[in-house]
């Protein structure tokens, strides 16, 4: 089944990592994959644009079905392969509702992280202002406190939507991993640190760990003062 799938992805991309975790969780190893370089602008190549006119990664194809947005791919995989691998949408009405809520809040979480760690990438040099970056950091701090509170309320050892590992974890863990990769203090945010440690050794996460992180495990200190 997996041999009928193709994933075009880029290292250092949380959206790509979401899809790779989902594929592992559904026991769909052995899919065709191609690692592309953002630095070389390979995500804007004809190969990608022919499948994804937005020129973004991940780009995913299953037989003749094309699904490009990372959330859409994760939902697609769970829908098409419900009985295979791990169940990622809980039966409980309450847990399912919280899963959907946290998933879509996760998009805001990811955007606020990007606005800080990739500020110089997104904003042209002549348009950069310390005051703008400072506001972005304040917004990220507020967001971090929100997620710290969510995890505090759920209790020690919980996943982001309750006791079970769900699609919410599939899409949010890469954002949390990037926080600590870029120097976030686990002492300042102990619940996020606990959540990171809970999942970092999960088989699906380890199997899809960004290759350049393995080569250079040190990370950066961009978020050390957040």
């Amino acid at each position: 089944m997996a041999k009928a799938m193709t994933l075009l992805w880029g290292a250092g991309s949380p959206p790509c990592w979401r899809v790779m975790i989902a594929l592992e969780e559904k026991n769909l190893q052995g899919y065709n994959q191609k690692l592309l370089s953002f630095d070389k602008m390979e995500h804007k190549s004809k190969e990608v644009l022919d499948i994804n006119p937005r020129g973004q990664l991940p780009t995913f194809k299953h037989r003749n079905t094309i699904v490009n947005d990372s959330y859409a791919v994760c939902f697609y995989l769970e829908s098409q392969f419900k009985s295979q691998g791990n169940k990622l949408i809980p039966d409980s009405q309450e847990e399912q509702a919280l899963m959907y809520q946290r998933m879509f809040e996760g998009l805001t979480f990811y955007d606020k992280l990007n606005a800080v760690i990739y500020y110089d990438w997104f904003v042209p040099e002549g348009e950069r202002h310390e005051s703008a970056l400072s506001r972005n950091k304040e917004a990220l701090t507020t967001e971090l406190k929100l997620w710290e509170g969510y995890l505090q309320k759920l209790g020690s050892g919980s996943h982001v939507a309750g006791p079970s590992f769900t699609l919410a974890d599939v899409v949010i863990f890469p954002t949390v991993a990037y926080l600590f990769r870029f120097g976030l203090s686990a002492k300042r945010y102990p619940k996020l640190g606990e959540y990171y440690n809970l999942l970092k050794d999960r088989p699906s996460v380890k199997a899809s760990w960004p290759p350049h992180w393995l080569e250079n495990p040190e990370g950066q200190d961009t978020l050390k003062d957040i």
Side-chain angles (χ1 to χ4, degrees):
M1 187 67 69
K3 291 181 179 179
M5 298 177 180
T6 298
L7 176 68
L8 304 182
W9 64 286
S13 163
C16 293
W17 198 0
R18 295 167 190 159
V19 173
M20 297 174 87
I21 291 173
L23 286 161
E24 290 290 332
E25 290 288 336
K26 301 311 292 183
N27 286 343
L28 292 167
Q29 298 89 351
Y31 54 91
N32 301 297
Q33 58 172 295
K34 186 174 183 180
L35 174 60
L36 302 178
S37 169
F38 289 112
D39 290 338
K40 296 177 181 177
M41 298 297 288
E42 289 178 345
H43 57 299
K44 301 297 184 184
S45 66
K46 186 178 185 300
E47 180 181 16
V48 175
L49 290 171
D50 283 348
I51 305 173
N52 185 352
R54 292 184 182 274
Q56 297 174 341
L57 300 176
T59 293
F60 179 80
K61 186 174 183 180
H62 179 208
R63 297 196 178 93
N64 294 321
T65 300
I66 295 170
V67 192
N68 289 317
D69 179 84
S70 63
Y71 272 47
V73 178
C74 290
F75 278 122
Y76 174 83
L77 292 172
E78 178 61 17
S79 174
Q80 294 298 308
F81 303 98
K82 282 182 181 178
S83 61
Q84 184 166 323
N86 294 317
K87 183 182 179 69
L88 298 176
I89 297 179
D91 292 324
S92 160
Q93 179 181 346
E94 184 176 340
E95 194 175 351
Q96 190 178 121
L98 187 57
M99 180 204 78
Y100 286 123
Q101 176 70 35
R102 294 293 179 258
M103 283 185 74
F104 288 95
E105 283 187 89
L107 292 170
T108 300
F109 195 7
Y110 178 57
D111 285 345
K112 290 186 178 180
L113 170 62
N114 277 347
V116 174
I117 63 174
Y118 294 127
Y119 180 77
D120 288 350
W121 175 273
F122 290 132
V123 182
E125 186 173 358
E127 299 176 18
R128 295 173 196 160
H129 299 282
E130 278 301 315
S131 60
L133 179 56
S134 178
R135 285 194 300 272
N136 291 354
K137 288 180 177 180
E138 289 172 7
L140 177 58
T141 299
T142 299
E143 189 72 16
L144 288 166
K145 289 177 179 176
L146 196 63
W147 287 89
E148 189 75 4
Y150 290 160
L151 291 167
Q152 175 75 43
K153 185 176 181 180
L154 286 169
S156 183
S158 177
H159 297 82
V160 292
S164 306
F165 181 92
T166 69
L167 278 179
D169 300 288
V170 170
V171 300
I172 289 165
F173 177 79
T175 297
V176 174
Y178 266 73
L179 288 166
F180 291 106
R181 173 73 178 179
F182 280 82
L184 189 74
S185 168
K187 289 183 179 179
R188 200 171 290 131
Y189 300 97
K191 290 302 174 183
L192 281 164
E194 182 181 312
Y195 174 73
Y196 172 75
N197 287 324
L198 176 69
L199 292 188
K200 68 182 176 65
D201 292 323
R202 188 175 176 89
S204 63
V205 171
K206 289 184 72 174
S208 55
W209 199 258
H212 65 290
W213 290 14
L214 295 173
E215 296 166 8
N216 178 19
E218 289 304 311
Q220 301 178 37
D221 61 2
T222 311
L223 303 178
K224 66 178 182 179
D225 296 324
I226 296 291

